[in-house]
Amino acid sequence: MASEDITKLAESLAKTKVGGGQLSFKGQSLKLNTAEDEVIKQIAEFDGLEALRLEGNTVGVEAAKVIAKALEKKSELKRCHWSDMFTGRLRSEIPPALISLGDALIAAGAQLVELDLSDNAFGPDGVRGFEALLKSPACYTLQELKLNNCGMGIGGGKILAAALKECHRKSSAQGKPLALKIFVAGRNRLENDGATALAEAFGIIGTLEEVHMPQNGINHPGITALAQAFAINPLLKVINLNDNTFTEKGAVAMAETLKALRQIEVINFGDCLVRSKGAVAIADAVKEGLHKLKELNLSFCEIKRDAALTVAEAIEDKTELEKLDLNGNCLGEEVCEQLHEILEGFNMASVLGSLSDDEGEEDDDDEEEDEDEEEEEEEEQQQLKERGTEEQESLTPKKIIDSQASTPVPSPPVDVATFLAFPSPEKLLRLGPKCSVLIAQQTDTSDVEKVVATLLRISSVFKDEAPVKTAVHETTDALMKKAFSSATFNSDAFISNLLAHMGLLKSEEKIKTVPSLYGILMTLNHMVQQDYFPKSLAPVLSAFVTKPNRALDSCSFARHMLLQTLHQL
């Protein structure tokens, strides 16, 4: 090590906190690449180690192996606070590091109570890195599992769910079933399939007290699955599903579950689009029971006046309530005043949160129209997933089909206009190997707005699956190479327009922003590495993606990948 590195390490180690069976290197920004003697020495020499904090450092593969060697003798270790400990590491480095650490805990015969791997952007592959640990006796005693902001995706969610089910099965066979109490997995793009897989695991476990799964792109099918699982976890105290999409179907399902739960203290359904009908269903559940309720968050849910008043009336006898959040809904000044009056009548005015972001009163017809459109879109997406790459059966009358024929009826053809109007991964693949050429040919690249619109539609179908990922990349390359090579194409106008549609730059005109930034961020991560992409745009893109933005928070993995690539240019 260089002398300045040794000095820095010594200063950091001086801040190391010891006490109560805990050894903490938290927030010391240590760059552990190899066998750092002092760190390993402190771990090895710590008698009765029960908690090890490595948050806010960066651990390489070789350093993880040496730390693991020291942990093999720490049978009393119960709490692993290992969030944010791979900053700046390649994604491929994280699984082997986790495997080494996990194997050490298994070898030590540790019985973990808490495992926190939050804020490590390891993706689905990273879940494989601690899968064996989760299935092992070291986790039969696990009570708290925290995996916030890890970019697990659907695949990682399914691997995690299977590991939890296996842990429960094996621990039950030994007479001490897994009794997980706290589960945290926000900002992971679990979506419906990942949430449904985890719901199955939750239903088997049955001991949960807190579930935090905000910002996961879950729609009503996934919400309904979770609701059914929560119903058989009678000890639940906290449900945080903030910033997912319930709609009425999901809200009604969740409301039915709430009626069966008696220990609920915190309900956070903020920014979940429960809308008025969903809010009334939840209000009914609150009114019927939930006497221990301390916090109810239904902010930014497009709730209208009558429904909001129903919610307020439902909390009349909730003596434990500390906060009611109805901010950001569509109430209007008059209803806001009525809410205050109702709660003052209950001597509960102090529990009502700020209404400063109220959207003003809107027509009920608008809500029904929006809800119908969104549910139709959700149903179409769900049907596509269920069919996989298969399409609907041909509408040809059965009488003209040879009953002995086994050849599947060919899918109806797809053209560029159909794909751009209603984009889906299946439609892009069905355009065939010339899809990239066809879309580029049919897009007027002299029009910046059209180029941005087409790029956003292409990127919206992005998936990590190889065929779709390749098709998106090739189509993007053909389109953007054509655009950037044109002498009349305004690159600055393009990046401004794109950032506006992403919700990262304010526009003077009313622009509809994309519902999810995951696809475009992953597509940009590919684009910026290509020769056709003007390097002068990289600092601009980096500046806006770096800025705090709520829309980016739900896509932290994709954001991390793009920023890492931009910094390397």
Side-chain angles (χ1 to χ4, degrees), residues 19-86:
Q22 173 177 284
L23 177 60
S24 176
F25 299 95
K26 182 179 179 180
Q28 295 182 18
S29 302
L30 299 174
K31 294 182 180 179
L32 307 180
N33 297 311
T34 55
E36 307 290 356
D37 294 339
E38 288 301 319
V39 174
I40 309 307
K41 184 180 178 183
Q42 287 203 44
I43 295 173
E45 293 181 353
F46 194 105
D47 292 330
L49 182 63
E50 294 183 11
L52 178 60
R53 308 196 74 108
L54 292 172
E55 313 103 303
N57 298 292
T58 176
V59 180
V61 176
E62 294 304 314
K65 288 179 181 178
V66 185
I67 292 172
K69 196 70 179 173
L71 292 178
E72 287 179 358
K73 298 177 183 178
K74 303 300 176 183
S75 60
E76 296 177 20
L77 187 61
K78 292 180 175 62
R79 298 184 182 274
C80 298
H81 301 279
W82 295 349
S83 63
D84 187 25
M85 68 171 197
F86 295 111

Side-chain angles (χ1 to χ4, degrees), residues 39 68 76 103 181 234 262 358 427 453 472 492 541:
V39 174
E76 296 177 20
D103 288 348
K181 293 181 180 180
R262 295 287 178 266
D358 183 65
K427 289 191 182 84
V472 169
D492 293 335
L541 188 58

Side-chain angles (χ1 to χ4, degrees), residues 45-276:
E45 293 181 353
F46 194 105
D47 292 330
L49 182 63
E50 294 183 11
L52 178 60
R53 308 196 74 108
L54 292 172
E55 313 103 303
N57 298 292
T58 176
V59 180
V61 176
E62 294 304 314
K65 288 179 181 178
V66 185
I67 292 172
K69 196 70 179 173
L71 292 178
E72 287 179 358
K73 298 177 183 178
K74 303 300 176 183
S75 60
E76 296 177 20
L77 187 61
K78 292 180 175 62
R79 298 184 182 274
C80 298
H81 301 279
W82 295 349
S83 63
D84 187 25
M85 68 171 197
F86 295 111
T87 304
R89 300 292 172 182
L90 295 175
R91 185 171 163 182
S92 59
E93 292 181 86
I94 302 176
L98 288 173
I99 289 170
S100 296
L101 295 169
D103 288 348
L105 297 175
I106 296 169
Q111 293 186 316
L112 295 184
V113 172
E114 180 179 359
L115 177 61
D116 187 355
L117 292 169
S118 299
D119 300 315
N120 291 309
F122 47 57
D125 295 340
V127 185
R128 292 284 188 202
F130 61 92
E131 179 185 15
L133 173 63
L134 280 181
K135 294 178 179 180
S136 76
C139 285
Y140 291 177
T141 49
L142 196 64
Q143 295 180 15
E144 300 179 29
L145 180 59
K146 300 173 181 177
L147 299 166
N148 202 55
N149 192 27
C150 292
M152 289 190 291
I154 294 171
K158 289 181 176 180
I159 297 167
L160 176 61
L164 288 172
K165 288 190 289 185
E166 180 70 2
C167 181
H168 187 272
R169 185 188 68 79
K170 292 165 76 174
S171 58
S172 297
Q174 292 193 6
K176 294 183 178 180
L178 171 68
L180 191 67
K181 293 181 180 180
I182 298 174
F183 179 82
V184 181
R187 301 180 183 177
N188 271 293
R189 286 198 59 81
L190 294 169
E191 301 183 17
N192 289 334
D193 289 350
T196 301
L198 284 166
E200 187 178 336
F202 296 162
I204 292 170
I205 293 168
T207 55
L208 288 166
E209 295 181 11
E210 295 185 21
V211 175
H212 303 264
M213 295 174 66
Q215 297 183 352
N216 269 299
I218 309 170
N219 297 329
H220 72 79
I223 296 298
T224 300
L226 287 171
Q228 292 167 350
F230 292 165
I232 43 183
N233 280 266
L235 302 177
L236 264 175
K237 296 178 182 179
V238 178
I239 302 177
N240 176 7
L241 294 174
N242 188 285
D243 201 5
N244 289 291
T245 307
F246 282 42
T247 64
E248 181 188 347
K249 290 182 180 178
V252 169
M254 194 60 71
E256 285 302 307
T257 285
L258 290 174
K259 291 177 183 178
L261 299 175
R262 295 287 178 266
Q263 306 300 320
I264 289 292
E265 296 178 3
V266 177
I267 298 171
N268 186 345
F269 297 160
D271 207 6
C272 282
L273 209 65
V274 304
R275 291 208 173 102
S276 294

Side-chain angles (χ1 to χ4, degrees), residues 417-433:
T418 303
F419 166 73
L420 293 177
F422 303 100
S424 73
E426 292 78 15
K427 289 191 182 84
L428 182 62
L429 294 176
R430 280 172 51 206
L431 280 171

Side-chain angles (χ1 to χ4, degrees), residues 91 124 153-155 158 189 191 193 380-390 423-429 457-473 476 518-523 526 557:
R91 185 171 163 182
I154 294 171
K158 289 181 176 180
R189 286 198 59 81
E191 301 183 17
D193 289 350
E380 182 183 344
Q381 290 174 350
Q382 190 64 20
Q383 288 168 1
L384 285 170
K385 284 189 175 182
E386 289 170 359
R387 289 201 303 268
T389 56
E390 297 176 7
S424 73
E426 292 78 15
K427 289 191 182 84
L428 182 62
L429 294 176
R457 285 178 171 84
I458 295 167
S459 63
S460 71
V461 307
F462 179 91
K463 282 186 176 182
D464 282 321
E465 298 167 9
V468 177
K469 184 177 181 179
T470 300
V472 169
H473 286 173
T476 298
Y518 181 75
I520 186 60
L521 289 172
M522 294 300 285
T523 303
H526 167 79
F557 173 71

